[in-house]
Amino acid sequence: MSLKQHLAKALPAGKTFEVYHFQSLPRAINGFVNRNSQDYQHAQVVKIQNFLSIAFNERIFFAIEIDTYIIMNTSTGALERHIFIAKADTNGYSDTKVKTGEVVSCFLKYLLSINCQSYLQKIVPLHRDYGQKGTAGMISKRTSTSKALTILSQRRCGHSAQAPTNFATFYQSFDIGKKIGHRKTESDGILTKISLFTRPERQYLFSESYLNPRKHLLTGSQLLRWWLDIVNKVSMETLELLNGRLQIPGENEATIQKQYLASLNKSNNVWRVGSIYGDRRENVHSIPLFPDDPKTRFIKDLIGESRYMALNLDQFWKELQARQEFRLDVLVGVVGIVGLSKRADHWPQKEDVYVPLSLGKFKAMKSYVVGEEYNTVEGAVDARSNLHQYYCSKLGQSPLLVVGELDYAETRTKNSPAAVQKAAVNVLSDFAVRKKAK
């Protein structure tokens, strides 16, 4: 299904929303995991950044950032997809009720439905050869200022040297079937991991939005349950042979099991206390290095202290809980689940996503949303106005318009206390997480 079809199932029936979804060019990266990790010694890693924001009545009110990593091990033939939920936020300026949990779930399901091969058609490599033939009239990172100005002047005067013809060689491509050589069809199950770090904050993507009294803020416990419900629900629909883990630094296992995992295991008995990065006696080499992540910051400190090679996972979690960001009397959680994708055969179309030609342009588009201040509604209006103008004037296209199909009244009835009591499966609903007992 397209992104439009997915999101329509999460948005209120009959209402029209503007969706702005853009993605970075797939880039080859180093340092996702330590090369000493046996599973990743011969791995090639490609990173894709996705940013989605939604507007209603000319106001941006929701945004989410998710990174996808494709790990190809040409030595063992293993293929892995790791989805890291970086940040999600609302600002309270929507004048119609939207179930944020449903929106996040549908966007995750859309990303999990994408064929990994679609990311591997045009990859920015780690290194480029700027001295090859066919690049004489090209301005690159190695072009001096004076030479770049000369080329621009020649282009403007209309008597430029021969135009560069070798753009394609600046990108890589991989054919999963040929490079890895272990799949019969493109939709065969791919090892997929979903991970995130939960910590209650007043703002994630919308600066100063906490000053809006209509913004709904969650406690650490509420936020963790909200995300567990989403990840559990999405994984049950999109993955099989599941293995879910939850780690709360500083909390004992019995409490984690009783308060957070017992209810999940009634519907999906795959959740245990721990992490998806290995057994507690294993070393920390297999922990991925995600941006703006406390685990990554701690690992970098361990490297600086020359203790990275000596620590196992059990020691890592014990020392992590002593760090300042875990000692501020707020509950934080490390959530992860692993499984095989049931079906991933969607190739994104033009209306699904816009892919800027450079990482700088991707960040510039993202800044239209995260660069505003949302202490008043003007921030939400300006963010939408800037994005809309960019789409219309720079890209020559309109944002994706989605008409909602979800009947919220029907959903509310299904999630009412009486309905939940009669149901055979007890799964936390969006309302159960967000409403406080009075």
Side-chain angles (χ1 to χ4, degrees):
M1 290 194 298
S2 66
L3 177 63
K4 184 175 183 177
Q5 292 171 313
H6 275 282
L7 291 180
K9 295 182 177 182
L11 296 169
K15 304 292 181 64
T16 302
F17 296 81
E18 293 178 357
V19 175
Y20 300 88
H21 177 214
F22 39 95
Q23 167 205 301
S24 68
L25 270 175
R27 305 178 66 87
I29 63 169
N30 273 331
F32 177 64
V33 287
N34 190 285
R35 290 292 179 179
N36 290 320
S37 176
Q38 185 175 359
D39 294 334
Y40 297 98
Q41 285 182 352
H42 305 283
Q44 295 175 305
V45 183
V46 175
K47 179 181 179 181
I48 305 98
Q49 296 172 260
N50 286 273
F51 190 85
L52 175 85
S53 58
I54 302 178
F56 180 76
N57 197 18
E58 300 186 352
R59 301 174 187 175
I60 292 288
F61 67 88
F62 169 79
I64 184 170
E65 184 176 2
I66 297 180
D67 298 335
T68 299
Y69 299 84
I70 307 297
I71 302 101
M72 301 167 289
N73 193 320
T74 54
S75 175
T76 63
L79 180 67
E80 178 182 320
R81 171 178 54 183
H82 201 138
I83 291 180
F84 175 66
I85 304 172
K87 295 177 181 178
D89 203 3
T90 60
N91 55 33
Y93 291 116
S94 173
D95 48 13
T96 187
K97 184 169 182 60
V98 175
K99 294 189 67 177
T100 308
E102 293 291 336
V103 175
V104 173
S105 296
C106 287
F107 185 51
L108 268 175
K109 284 187 277 188
Y110 166 76
L111 292 179
L112 287 165
S113 73
I114 294 177
N115 190 320
C116 290
Q117 184 65 61
S118 67
Y119 291 132
L120 306 179
Q121 303 301 297
K122 188 178 182 180
I123 304 168
V124 179
L126 284 170
H127 307 287
R128 282 172 166 168
D129 180 9
Y130 291 102
Q132 57 188 301
K133 294 181 180 180
T135 61
M138 183 183 297
I139 299 176
S140 68
K141 294 180 180 179
R142 294 189 179 182
T143 307
S144 65
T145 303
S146 59
K147 186 174 181 180
L149 290 172
T150 300
I151 293 174
L152 290 173
S153 177
Q154 290 175 340
R155 290 178 182 175
R156 184 173 180 82
C157 295
H159 50 75
S160 174
Q162 184 179 1
T165 58
N166 210 15
F167 287 108
T169 59
F170 283 93
Y171 299 95
Q172 292 178 327
S173 63
F174 290 94
D175 186 312
I176 292 176
K178 292 181 180 180
K179 295 285 184 179
I180 307 297
H182 73 301
R183 303 203 182 282
K184 295 180 181 179
T185 66
E186 293 180 345
S187 59
D188 280 351
I190 294 174
L191 180 64
T192 299
K193 299 179 180 179
I194 304 174
S195 62
L196 69 146
F197 168 79
T198 70
R199 176 186 171 85
E201 297 285 358
R202 298 185 299 179
Q203 60 192 36
Y204 298 97
L205 294 169
F206 297 117
S207 176
E208 298 188 2
S209 58
Y210 65 90
L211 295 174
N212 177 14
R214 293 180 58 192
K215 177 170 181 172
H216 189 72
L217 299 176
L218 299 179
T219 65
S221 178
Q222 289 174 323
L223 183 67
L224 178 56
R225 286 192 172 93
W226 188 78
W227 275 114
L228 282 171
D229 182 33
I230 290 174
V231 173
N232 185 62
K233 173 184 173 183
V234 170
S235 62
M236 287 179 65
E237 294 182 24
T238 60
L239 305 176
E240 56 190 1
L241 302 177
L242 297 174
N243 181 6
R245 294 293 182 266
L246 170 63
Q247 185 74 45
I248 302 178
E251 190 63 88
N252 64 71
E253 292 190 12
T255 301
I256 299 173
Q257 184 67 42
K258 180 179 179 180
Q259 294 189 5
Y260 299 98
L261 301 184
S263 58
L264 292 178
N265 284 329
K266 290 180 180 179
S267 61
N268 192 13
N269 189 23
V270 299
W271 289 93
R272 304 290 183 271
V273 178
S275 76
I276 62 173
Y277 308 122
D279 184 81
R280 61 180 59 191
R281 294 184 179 181
E282 297 180 21
N283 56 43
V284 299
H285 297 163
S286 60
I287 297 180
L289 304 182
F290 296 119
D292 194 22
D293 181 65
K295 301 189 303 300
T296 299
R297 289 191 285 271
F298 183 35
I299 287 176
K300 290 181 178 179
D301 288 344
L302 290 176
I303 294 173
E305 298 168 2
S306 300
R307 296 196 300 127
Y308 177 67
M309 304 295 291
L311 225 61
N312 61 32
L313 285 174
D314 189 42
Q315 295 168 322
F316 175 84
W317 294 117
K318 288 179 180 178
E319 292 196 24
L320 183 66
Q321 72 188 46
R323 290 177 65 85
Q324 183 177 2
E325 51 195 322
F326 288 88
R327 296 171 58 192
L328 298 178
D329 199 28
V330 293
L331 186 143
V332 298
V334 181
V335 181
I337 194 162
V338 185
L340 297 179
S341 60
K342 293 181 179 179
R343 189 169 182 83
D345 56 3
H346 178 70
W347 285 68
Q349 303 300 310
K350 183 179 179 180
E351 74 163 6
D352 289 329
V353 61
Y354 171 69
V355 184
L357 293 177
S358 69
L359 185 59
K361 289 185 178 180
F362 171 84
K363 292 180 178 179
M365 293 182 67
K366 177 182 168 183
S367 69
Y368 287 142
V369 176
V370 301
E372 294 288 344
E373 294 181 353
Y374 293 87
N375 55 319
T376 65
V377 71
E378 280 76 14
V381 174
D382 290 344
R384 181 267 173 187
S385 177
N386 291 333
L387 264 183
H388 190 270
Q389 184 177 2
Y390 186 90
Y391 266 67
C392 294
S393 61
K394 298 290 186 181
L395 307 182
Q397 66 183 62
S398 300
L400 178 64
L401 298 180
V402 179
V403 179
E405 300 175 355
L406 181 61
D407 187 342
Y408 277 22
E410 182 180 346
T411 305
R412 189 179 299 111
T413 302
K414 289 182 179 179
N415 291 332
S416 65
V420 173
Q421 190 173 11
K422 293 178 182 179
V425 177
N426 181 21
V427 179
L428 289 175
S429 71
D430 206 8
F431 288 100
V433 174
R434 288 178 174 271
K435 284 192 174 180
K436 296 181 180 179
K438 295 184 180 180

